[in-house]
């Protein structure tokens, strides 16, 4: 029998209450639905610490719920050095958070650190816009972008396996 190692994916935004928990829930749901949860681990965190311990933003939970994705079990946490040893793919929602991650990345990190939307099928929008201070339509766009990129990411991970 071949022993297959697990692959870890970590989604990162600023507060870990809007974008990255949405990506966490959407991707985790997709992974389970397609039977890949045996080898893929999914998590999320924020570069900031303001919302540590909190549930995702109610607007994110509502929008995700409309698409059959539960987020209520998630709690915000801040990125930590060990994440670079535990996760193979660390995917930022925008360039500001990517720069932050690059600034704290241990030199021994062997994984992939980049933008989540690089996996979206349609090039164009490079960053998931921060919806926190806007209206509900911002959360609809966040879900649309995340659903599209999640399909591309899963296929890329299957190919890289
Ligand atoms: P997120 O959104 O990074 O997608 O979780 C934000 C949540 C909170 C804040 C900023 C962005 N904040 O400034 O508190």
């Amino acid at each position: 029998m071949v022993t297959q190692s697990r692959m870890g994916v970590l989604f990162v935004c600023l507060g870990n209450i809007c974008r990255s928990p949405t990506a966490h829930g959407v991707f985790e749901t997709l992974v389970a639905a397609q039977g890949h949860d045996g080898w893929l681990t999914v998590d999320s965190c924020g570069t900031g610490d303001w919302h540590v311990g909190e549930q995702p933003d109610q607007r994110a939970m509502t929008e995700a719920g409309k698409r059959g994705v539960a987020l209520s079990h998630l709690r915000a946490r801040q990125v930590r050095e060990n994440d670079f040893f535990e996760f193979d793919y660390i995917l930022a929602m925008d360039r500001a958070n990517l720069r932050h991650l690059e600034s704290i990345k241990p030199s021994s990190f062997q994984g992939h650190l980049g933008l989540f939307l690089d996996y979206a099928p349609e090039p164009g929008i490079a960053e998931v816009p921060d919806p926190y201070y806007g209206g509900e339509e911002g959360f609809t766009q966040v879900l649309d972008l995340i659903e599209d990129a999640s399909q591309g990411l899963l296929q890329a991970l299957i190919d890289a396996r």
Side-chain angles (χ1 to χ4, degrees):
M1 193 180 99
V2 178
T3 308
Q4 282 161 339
S5 58
R6 295 189 70 83
M7 208 183 270
V9 181
L10 181 66
F11 296 106
V12 188
C13 62
L14 183 59
N16 194 210
I17 55 167
C18 298
R19 293 165 293 174
S20 64
T22 299
H24 182 164
V26 166
F27 193 64
E28 194 169 60
T29 300
L30 179 67
V31 161
Q34 297 195 6
H36 296 293
D37 43 335
W39 61 279
L40 272 172
T41 299
V42 185
D43 199 3
S44 65
C45 66
T47 55
D49 67 356
W50 309 282
H51 298 281
V52 168
E54 293 179 19
Q55 261 191 338
D57 188 287
Q58 185 59 55
R59 297 165 294 176
M61 291 200 286
T62 299
E63 192 60 39
K66 287 182 198 166
R67 303 180 193 217
V69 173
L71 304 181
S72 59
H73 59 295
L74 302 177
R75 295 293 179 275
R77 72 170 179 88
Q78 191 175 27
V79 66
R80 49 181 176 246
E81 190 177 8
N82 222 32
D83 287 326
F84 291 93
F85 301 103
E86 291 180 2
F87 293 93
D88 307 285
Y89 286 74
I90 300 182
L91 301 174
M93 296 295 138
D94 59 32
R95 292 192 185 93
N97 286 296
L98 178 58
R99 279 195 297 275
H100 181 112
L101 293 165
E102 283 167 345
S103 75
I104 61 168
K105 178 183 76 161
S107 56
S108 59
F109 177 61
Q110 299 281 318
H112 172 82
L113 173 59
L115 288 173
F116 176 40
L117 291 193
D118 283 350
Y119 295 93
E122 307 262 336
I125 302 184
E127 305 177 286
V128 183
D130 184 348
Y132 187 63
Y133 292 107
E136 276 168 26
E137 68 287 350
F139 286 83
T140 305
Q141 187 193 19
V142 165
L143 262 295
D144 289 343
L145 292 168
I146 285 173
E147 284 185 335
D148 283 353
S150 290
Q151 297 280 353
L153 174 61
L154 180 56
Q155 191 55 55
L157 297 180
I158 291 168
D159 293 347
R161 197 180 174 188

